[in-house]
Amino acid sequence: FAVMTGVNAGISCVLKRIRGKEDVQSSMAAAFGSGALFSLVSGMGGPNPVPNALTSGIFFALVQGGLFELGRKFSQPPA
């Protein structure tokens, strides 16, 4: 989990610095990277780990994107 957290924070920080904003795309890209790396490091891929890494990355990105949007929705004051 340290690898996953570190990669997520690192990618998120780099993207925020490059793009100048924190948005759902940056959050999802960081989650994809951390999910793919976690899959590779954990050894769950078997003989061909690339498809499993892509699947894990996509899953992590979708979950993180949903959580980001949910958090943004509830953090705004009611109109």
Side-chain angles (χ1 to χ4, degrees), residues 61-77:
L62 291 175
V63 169
Q64 183 67 24
L67 290 173
F68 185 90
E69 289 296 324
L70 193 64
R72 191 170 69 167
K73 179 180 179 182
F74 285 115
S75 68
Q76 293 176 351

Side-chain angles (χ1 to χ4, degrees), residues 9-29:
I11 293 173
S12 180
C13 199
V14 167
L15 288 176
K16 186 176 179 182
R17 176 97 176 193
I18 290 172
R19 299 181 74 214
K21 60 182 175 179
E22 187 175 356
D23 58 356
V24 70
Q25 287 89 2
S26 297
S27 178
M28 288 178 72

